[in-house]
Amino acid sequence: GTKIDNLVQIAHGVVLGKNVLLAAQVGIAGSTVIGDGVQFGGQVGVGGHLTIRDGVKGRGQTGITNSVDAGEFISGYPAIANSEWRRSSAVFRKLPEMRKQLRALEERLRKLEQQGSGIGDQGSE
């Protein structure tokens, strides 16, 4: 029941379970164990000497660098839970503006702390 699409590379010593689906350009490094019912979208890369347990789903272009527990749905590089990846990817494009805002807030805080320390010094006289 395992299906392997075109341009898939499976290295030495890899064990594939039953009903595994590997889409185009998936690469699996050596001595990795792939459990039953695992599904990898196109261009998923799996490091060597890992265990990908039953029912794992890897979204396209995921980079798997650690073993994965059964039933996980993973995305991104390095691979994390798909729900976390979706939230993170929504923030990525906002990071440059958020960085500017953080620097401005840090500068405001620094100035307020300097003013506050000046007031405290006067009160001790």
Side-chain angles (χ1 to χ4, degrees), residues 85-104:
W85 180 81
R86 288 172 54 105
R87 285 192 305 271
S88 297
S89 65
V91 173
F92 291 153
R93 67 179 176 272
K94 298 176 184 177
L95 287 177
E97 182 58 32
M98 290 172 69
R99 183 177 181 196
K100 287 179 188 176
Q101 290 173 344
L102 178 60
R103 285 183 173 170

mmCIF file of all heavy atoms in Angstrom, residues 85-104:
data_model
loop_
_atom_site.group_PDB
_atom_site.id
_atom_site.type_symbol
_atom_site.label_atom_id
_atom_site.label_comp_id
_atom_site.label_asym_id
_atom_site.label_seq_id
_atom_site.Cartn_x
_atom_site.Cartn_y
_atom_site.Cartn_z
ATOM 1 N N TRP A 85 3.421 26.416 13.484
ATOM 2 C CA TRP A 85 4.031 26.942 12.260
ATOM 3 C C TRP A 85 3.114 27.957 11.590
ATOM 4 O O TRP A 85 3.563 29.012 11.137
ATOM 5 C CB TRP A 85 4.361 25.808 11.296
ATOM 6 C CG TRP A 85 4.976 26.279 10.031
ATOM 7 C CD1 TRP A 85 6.282 26.607 9.802
ATOM 8 C CD2 TRP A 85 4.300 26.510 8.792
ATOM 9 N NE1 TRP A 85 6.455 27.013 8.515
ATOM 10 C CE2 TRP A 85 5.255 26.974 7.866
ATOM 11 C CE3 TRP A 85 2.981 26.371 8.385
ATOM 12 C CZ2 TRP A 85 4.929 27.293 6.560
ATOM 13 C CZ3 TRP A 85 2.659 26.686 7.079
ATOM 14 C CH2 TRP A 85 3.634 27.147 6.190
ATOM 15 N N ARG A 86 1.817 27.671 11.549
ATOM 16 C CA ARG A 86 0.867 28.598 10.921
ATOM 17 C C ARG A 86 0.827 29.928 11.667
ATOM 18 O O ARG A 86 0.821 30.987 11.063
ATOM 19 C CB ARG A 86 -0.527 27.969 10.846
ATOM 20 C CG ARG A 86 -0.605 26.851 9.806
ATOM 21 C CD ARG A 86 -1.938 26.119 9.881
ATOM 22 N NE ARG A 86 -3.069 27.011 9.793
ATOM 23 C CZ ARG A 86 -3.840 27.151 8.720
ATOM 24 N NH1 ARG A 86 -3.603 26.444 7.650
ATOM 25 N NH2 ARG A 86 -4.861 27.985 8.740
ATOM 26 N N ARG A 87 0.808 29.880 13.000
ATOM 27 C CA ARG A 87 0.807 31.122 13.785
ATOM 28 C C ARG A 87 2.114 31.889 13.574
ATOM 29 O O ARG A 87 2.114 33.104 13.411
ATOM 30 C CB ARG A 87 0.605 30.820 15.272
ATOM 31 C CG ARG A 87 -0.819 30.450 15.638
ATOM 32 C CD ARG A 87 -1.045 30.443 17.146
ATOM 33 N NE ARG A 87 -0.133 29.589 17.881
ATOM 34 C CZ ARG A 87 -0.339 28.303 18.150
ATOM 35 N NH1 ARG A 87 -1.439 27.710 17.722
ATOM 36 N NH2 ARG A 87 0.545 27.616 18.846
ATOM 37 N N SER A 88 3.220 31.174 13.568
ATOM 38 C CA SER A 88 4.523 31.818 13.394
ATOM 39 C C SER A 88 4.666 32.437 12.017
ATOM 40 O O SER A 88 5.164 33.565 11.885
ATOM 41 C CB SER A 88 5.642 30.801 13.610
ATOM 42 O OG SER A 88 5.619 30.322 14.923
ATOM 43 N N SER A 89 4.234 31.728 10.996
ATOM 44 C CA SER A 89 4.393 32.255 9.640
ATOM 45 C C SER A 89 3.553 33.510 9.428
ATOM 46 O O SER A 89 3.924 34.380 8.641
ATOM 47 C CB SER A 89 4.070 31.191 8.591
ATOM 48 O OG SER A 89 2.717 30.822 8.649
ATOM 49 N N ALA A 90 2.446 33.634 10.151
ATOM 50 C CA ALA A 90 1.636 34.849 10.056
ATOM 51 C C ALA A 90 2.374 36.049 10.644
ATOM 52 O O ALA A 90 2.160 37.188 10.224
ATOM 53 C CB ALA A 90 0.301 34.648 10.775
ATOM 54 N N VAL A 91 3.262 35.809 11.611
ATOM 55 C CA VAL A 91 4.007 36.880 12.270
ATOM 56 C C VAL A 91 5.282 37.248 11.510
ATOM 57 O O VAL A 91 5.740 38.381 11.572
ATOM 58 C CB VAL A 91 4.341 36.466 13.724
ATOM 59 C CG1 VAL A 91 5.258 37.468 14.395
ATOM 60 C CG2 VAL A 91 3.076 36.289 14.527
ATOM 61 N N PHE A 92 5.855 36.296 10.782
ATOM 62 C CA PHE A 92 7.150 36.525 10.128
ATOM 63 C C PHE A 92 7.183 37.815 9.329
ATOM 64 O O PHE A 92 8.125 38.587 9.426
ATOM 65 C CB PHE A 92 7.534 35.366 9.204
ATOM 66 C CG PHE A 92 7.872 34.097 9.932
ATOM 67 C CD1 PHE A 92 7.689 32.879 9.315
ATOM 68 C CD2 PHE A 92 8.372 34.107 11.220
ATOM 69 C CE1 PHE A 92 8.000 31.705 9.970
ATOM 70 C CE2 PHE A 92 8.683 32.935 11.879
ATOM 71 C CZ PHE A 92 8.488 31.727 11.253
ATOM 72 N N ARG A 93 6.168 38.072 8.538
ATOM 73 C CA ARG A 93 6.200 39.256 7.677
ATOM 74 C C ARG A 93 6.092 40.555 8.477
ATOM 75 O O ARG A 93 6.423 41.615 8.003
ATOM 76 C CB ARG A 93 5.131 39.171 6.600
ATOM 77 C CG ARG A 93 3.716 39.240 7.108
ATOM 78 C CD ARG A 93 2.707 39.176 5.957
ATOM 79 N NE ARG A 93 1.364 39.142 6.441
ATOM 80 C CZ ARG A 93 0.698 38.040 6.757
ATOM 81 N NH1 ARG A 93 1.249 36.874 6.608
ATOM 82 N NH2 ARG A 93 -0.533 38.114 7.212
ATOM 83 N N LYS A 94 5.630 40.464 9.721
ATOM 84 C CA LYS A 94 5.499 41.644 10.576
ATOM 85 C C LYS A 94 6.750 41.894 11.420
ATOM 86 O O LYS A 94 6.842 42.923 12.095
ATOM 87 C CB LYS A 94 4.300 41.477 11.510
ATOM 88 C CG LYS A 94 2.971 41.353 10.779
ATOM 89 C CD LYS A 94 1.848 41.107 11.750
ATOM 90 C CE LYS A 94 0.534 40.888 11.024
ATOM 91 N NZ LYS A 94 -0.543 40.572 11.960
ATOM 92 N N LEU A 95 7.701 40.981 11.415
ATOM 93 C CA LEU A 95 8.865 41.091 12.292
ATOM 94 C C LEU A 95 9.674 42.378 12.103
ATOM 95 O O LEU A 95 10.071 42.996 13.103
ATOM 96 C CB LEU A 95 9.766 39.863 12.153
ATOM 97 C CG LEU A 95 9.226 38.589 12.798
ATOM 98 C CD1 LEU A 95 10.167 37.423 12.532
ATOM 99 C CD2 LEU A 95 9.006 38.762 14.284
ATOM 100 N N PRO A 96 9.951 42.840 10.878
ATOM 101 C CA PRO A 96 10.723 44.083 10.752
ATOM 102 C C PRO A 96 10.056 45.276 11.449
ATOM 103 O O PRO A 96 10.721 46.033 12.155
ATOM 104 C CB PRO A 96 10.824 44.295 9.238
ATOM 105 C CG PRO A 96 10.714 42.924 8.667
ATOM 106 C CD PRO A 96 9.745 42.209 9.565
ATOM 107 N N GLU A 97 8.757 45.419 11.290
ATOM 108 C CA GLU A 97 8.043 46.522 11.943
ATOM 109 C C GLU A 97 8.011 46.328 13.459
ATOM 110 O O GLU A 97 8.190 47.286 14.218
ATOM 111 C CB GLU A 97 6.619 46.638 11.397
ATOM 112 C CG GLU A 97 5.823 47.788 11.988
ATOM 113 C CD GLU A 97 6.475 49.166 11.770
ATOM 114 O OE1 GLU A 97 7.142 49.372 10.734
ATOM 115 O OE2 GLU A 97 6.325 50.028 12.653
ATOM 116 N N MET A 98 7.818 45.090 13.897
ATOM 117 C CA MET A 98 7.804 44.813 15.332
ATOM 118 C C MET A 98 9.171 45.116 15.948
ATOM 119 O O MET A 98 9.247 45.606 17.082
ATOM 120 C CB MET A 98 7.409 43.354 15.583
ATOM 121 C CG MET A 98 5.958 43.063 15.257
ATOM 122 S SD MET A 98 5.544 41.313 15.318
ATOM 123 C CE MET A 98 5.659 40.995 17.059
ATOM 124 N N ARG A 99 10.234 44.868 15.216
ATOM 125 C CA ARG A 99 11.582 45.176 15.700
ATOM 126 C C ARG A 99 11.754 46.679 15.893
ATOM 127 O O ARG A 99 12.308 47.128 16.899
ATOM 128 C CB ARG A 99 12.612 44.635 14.712
ATOM 129 C CG ARG A 99 14.030 44.828 15.159
ATOM 130 C CD ARG A 99 14.985 44.208 14.175
ATOM 131 N NE ARG A 99 16.349 44.374 14.627
ATOM 132 C CZ ARG A 99 17.390 44.212 13.868
ATOM 133 N NH1 ARG A 99 17.247 43.854 12.606
ATOM 134 N NH2 ARG A 99 18.606 44.376 14.340
ATOM 135 N N LYS A 100 11.271 47.464 14.927
ATOM 136 C CA LYS A 100 11.343 48.924 15.055
ATOM 137 C C LYS A 100 10.566 49.391 16.284
ATOM 138 O O LYS A 100 11.027 50.251 17.043
ATOM 139 C CB LYS A 100 10.772 49.602 13.807
ATOM 140 C CG LYS A 100 11.644 49.509 12.586
ATOM 141 C CD LYS A 100 10.968 50.192 11.406
ATOM 142 C CE LYS A 100 11.710 49.956 10.109
ATOM 143 N NZ LYS A 100 10.992 50.541 8.966
ATOM 144 N N GLN A 101 9.368 48.845 16.471
ATOM 145 C CA GLN A 101 8.544 49.228 17.612
ATOM 146 C C GLN A 101 9.227 48.865 18.927
ATOM 147 O O GLN A 101 9.220 49.655 19.876
ATOM 148 C CB GLN A 101 7.178 48.550 17.527
ATOM 149 C CG GLN A 101 6.305 49.073 16.411
ATOM 150 C CD GLN A 101 5.025 48.259 16.245
ATOM 151 O OE1 GLN A 101 4.913 47.147 16.743
ATOM 152 N NE2 GLN A 101 4.072 48.828 15.519
ATOM 153 N N LEU A 102 9.836 47.688 18.976
ATOM 154 C CA LEU A 102 10.522 47.260 20.190
ATOM 155 C C LEU A 102 11.690 48.185 20.510
ATOM 156 O O LEU A 102 11.872 48.607 21.661
ATOM 157 C CB LEU A 102 11.019 45.821 20.043
ATOM 158 C CG LEU A 102 11.795 45.259 21.231
ATOM 159 C CD1 LEU A 102 10.941 45.260 22.490
ATOM 160 C CD2 LEU A 102 12.298 43.863 20.918
ATOM 161 N N ARG A 103 12.470 48.550 19.501
ATOM 162 C CA ARG A 103 13.598 49.463 19.727
ATOM 163 C C ARG A 103 13.115 50.819 20.219
ATOM 164 O O ARG A 103 13.712 51.424 21.115
ATOM 165 C CB ARG A 103 14.426 49.613 18.459
ATOM 166 C CG ARG A 103 15.291 48.399 18.193
ATOM 167 C CD ARG A 103 16.160 48.590 16.989
ATOM 168 N NE ARG A 103 17.089 47.482 16.866
ATOM 169 C CZ ARG A 103 17.837 47.265 15.813
ATOM 170 N NH1 ARG A 103 17.781 48.069 14.770
ATOM 171 N NH2 ARG A 103 18.654 46.229 15.774
ATOM 172 N N ALA A 104 12.017 51.312 19.652
ATOM 173 C CA ALA A 104 11.472 52.603 20.083
ATOM 174 C C ALA A 104 10.992 52.517 21.534
ATOM 175 O O ALA A 104 11.240 53.433 22.333
ATOM 176 C CB ALA A 104 10.329 53.032 19.164
#
